[in-house]
Amino acid sequence: MNRIKRINKPYFIFLFWNVLMIFAVHGLTFQHEAGKGVSGNGNPGILILFPSLLTFLILCIWTVSLSKWWLYDQQQRWGKKKHVMVPLAALLLCVLSVFWQLLMIKDLRVQLGGFTNDPNSVVYRFGWLNQYTNTLYYNVPILLFGLSLSIFIGWLMERSVRKNGS
């Protein structure tokens, strides 16, 4: 009997919440404009950054759990060849998200004229967590990496459950 599994609405709502948190962190992170002074407004993005990272951690743990059981259910239906595609795609997305994150770091470094150790930088003497660098700590590549890694870990856990159960 071909039945469609119920969509996990709370999970997708929580995923959507995490995407909104990325926009909130980005919205409260100041963008440096050349020729203008350093903002003295403090760092309002830090108010959203820490709760965002906490919800991100919860989402990753939830993703591991869901992917483990979902892959366990799908293994019989798909067969081995399709089942192996999931961890390969997850690893590929991990690699791509790391390159995307490195590109974002490079772009921010150019925008700020260097980082905290460069005397010509906008953020010289600020430290790594400042009003211009909040988006380095929570953004789309980090969310993609966390979810992809969680799916891969779920797959590894599913394999160990399957081997121990056989």
Side-chain angles (χ1 to χ4, degrees):
M1 185 166 137
N2 188 8
R3 72 173 207 228
I4 297 175
K5 294 241 180 207
R6 182 177 61 88
I7 294 176
N8 194 332
K9 288 181 186 176
Y11 176 80
F12 287 109
I13 291 170
F14 201 67
L15 176 64
F16 181 69
W17 172 258
N18 274 269
V19 171
L20 289 178
M21 295 297 267
I22 289 173
F23 285 114
V25 168
H26 182 74
L28 292 173
T29 300
F30 293 104
Q31 301 295 318
H32 175 68
E33 297 176 24
K36 295 205 175 181
V38 176
S39 169
N41 293 332
N43 189 1
I46 203 165
L47 298 174
I48 297 293
L49 185 61
F50 289 117
S52 297
L53 292 174
L54 179 63
T55 60
F56 171 64
L57 181 62
I58 293 168
L59 180 70
C60 287
I61 293 168
W62 198 356
T63 302
V64 167
S65 176
L66 287 179
S67 64
K68 174 181 140 183
W69 294 114
W70 184 77
L71 288 167
Y72 186 79
D73 289 343
Q74 296 300 317
Q75 200 272 336
Q76 293 298 327
R77 179 185 300 176
W78 289 351
K80 261 194 182 325
K81 286 186 180 181
K82 284 186 182 177
H83 195 258
V84 170
M85 294 304 290
V86 171
L88 292 177
L91 285 176
L92 178 65
L93 286 174
C94 282
V95 170
L96 290 176
S97 63
V98 166
F99 282 119
W100 189 3
Q101 179 71 13
L102 291 173
L103 183 63
M104 288 179 71
I105 291 169
K106 179 182 170 196
D107 289 344
L108 186 63
R109 175 181 222 139
V110 169
Q111 180 187 3
L112 298 176
F115 280 132
T116 58
N117 58 350
D118 186 4
N120 297 326
S121 171
V122 174
V123 292
Y124 183 64
R125 290 189 233 129
F126 273 6
W128 280 99
L129 191 58
N130 59 64
Q131 66 267 29
Y132 297 111
T133 60
N134 292 327
T135 55
L136 288 180
Y137 303 105
Y138 194 51
N139 52 40
V140 174
I142 288 175
L143 179 67
L144 181 63
F145 179 82
L147 293 176
S148 300
L149 185 63
S150 296
I151 290 170
F152 183 75
I153 291 170
W155 177 78
L156 289 174
M157 291 174 73
E158 180 270 333
R159 282 182 49 104
S160 70
V161 166
R162 193 168 6 108
K163 283 183 181 179
N164 291 338
S166 296

